[in-house]
Amino acid sequence: MLPCMRLAVLLFTLLAATEPTTPQDWFNLGVTRHDAGDYAGALVAFEKAVALRHVAPVALPMRLARTYARLGKRDEALTQLRLAADRGYPLTEQLNAENDFLAIRGDARWNGIVAIVRKNQHPCRDTPEFRQFDFWLGEWDVEQGGQKIARSSIQLILDDCVVFENYEAPGYSGKSLNTWDAGEKRWEQHYMDTTGASRAFAGGMVGERMVMTTEFDRNGARVTTRMTYSKEGADRVRQFIETSLDGGKTWSAGFDGMYVRRK
């Protein structure tokens, strides 16, 4: 052990008044010992933190995994690493770069754990609900009644978590942010345009169609607006907007546009 490392362990122990008393103290001592290369001592400290029910659902199993790996305890290391992954550890690059894990990377279980961590890091990419509106992605000409009225670019942004619309027509433009709200278990759209209008819609898939609604007051009346996006083959998406003034008993057709994929 390097002299400076020995000094760090000694100083921490003295500051802890000969023996740590709290779970956090034991955890900190484990980190200090581990970083000083005293892996056996680190394990004692971390296990004491566990016994005292230290609240560190990801950090503690990660530290235990690193320490077990250094001590050649492969099964224990992988068990703790899997626990950290299951609890949401999200740093794939850091995991792959950690030298403490060199001895266990060849284990068949390693790649499965890395896959979980990668999913934690990019939660939207492979979650089915986030992919439901991907049929709207692309570069489009927007037509109404067979006539081109606008252009629209629909892209994935924010690590594939948000469907972003950029709608451009002569003298008018609008943008919308669309995403799956996992907590509310619904799709949400927030639309804004150059008229100063702003609307928040919510809904989800009904069969193979995306249906979202909003309600607002206009001239003393309660208005319900419903938007339906329908995939019409590989290169066409219909957007149909209708309104109701009686709480959805009857509907009046509004905008009926066809997004035609630009070739």
Side-chain angles (χ1 to χ4, degrees), residues 203-234:
M205 295 299 292
V206 178
E208 295 184 354
R209 299 178 177 183
M210 178 65 73
V211 181
M212 289 189 272
T213 62
T214 189
E215 292 186 352
F216 56 94
D217 291 319
R218 184 174 64 196
N219 299 326
R222 192 65 174 168
V223 180
T224 303
T225 297
R226 180 169 65 192
M227 293 189 304
T228 301
Y229 297 85
S230 307
K231 183 177 180 180
E232 308 282 336

Side-chain angles (χ1 to χ4, degrees), residues 75-146:
D75 290 341
E76 292 88 342
L78 287 163
T79 295
Q80 290 298 319
L81 191 57
R82 175 60 187 264
L83 180 60
D86 287 342
R87 289 178 176 177
Y89 179 78
L91 304 177
T92 309
E93 293 79 10
Q94 181 176 315
L95 179 64
N96 284 321
E98 181 53 67
N99 288 336
D100 288 344
F101 295 134
L102 285 173
I104 66 172
R105 287 180 190 163
D107 191 283
R109 292 166 286 183
W110 173 263
N111 288 338
I113 292 171
V114 172
I116 296 171
V117 173
R118 185 176 294 111
K119 186 173 182 179
N120 294 339
Q121 187 173 12
H122 307 287
C124 304
R125 290 184 181 179
D126 299 316
T127 301
E129 289 82 1
F130 279 99
R131 305 278 60 85
Q132 289 174 335
F133 212 4
D134 283 4
F135 67 83
W136 197 30
L137 299 175
E139 302 298 318
W140 308 90
D141 291 323
V142 184
E143 298 180 356
Q144 188 173 30

Side-chain angles (χ1 to χ4, degrees), residues 123-236:
C124 304
R125 290 184 181 179
D126 299 316
T127 301
E129 289 82 1
F130 279 99
R131 305 278 60 85
Q132 289 174 335
F133 212 4
D134 283 4
F135 67 83
W136 197 30
L137 299 175
E139 302 298 318
W140 308 90
D141 291 323
V142 184
E143 298 180 356
Q144 188 173 30
Q147 299 297 313
K148 178 180 173 181
I149 62 169
R151 295 164 63 95
S152 189
S153 175
I154 317 293
Q155 308 164 12
L156 284 173
I157 62 172
L158 299 179
D159 205 17
D160 297 352
C161 291
V162 174
V163 175
F164 170 60
E165 175 191 20
N166 188 19
Y167 185 97
E168 296 287 343
Y172 173 85
S173 63
K175 300 180 188 298
S176 73
L177 298 172
N178 307 262
T179 192
W180 169 256
D181 187 322
E184 297 294 333
K185 298 189 182 302
R186 68 184 187 185
W187 271 87
E188 297 178 353
Q189 179 185 110
H190 195 104
Y191 186 83
M192 301 137 284
D193 66 16
T194 50
T195 72
S198 176
R199 290 281 181 266
F201 294 81
M205 295 299 292
V206 178
E208 295 184 354
R209 299 178 177 183
M210 178 65 73
V211 181
M212 289 189 272
T213 62
T214 189
E215 292 186 352
F216 56 94
D217 291 319
R218 184 174 64 196
N219 299 326
R222 192 65 174 168
V223 180
T224 303
T225 297
R226 180 169 65 192
M227 293 189 304
T228 301
Y229 297 85
S230 307
K231 183 177 180 180
E232 308 282 336
D235 298 315
R236 298 166 71 88

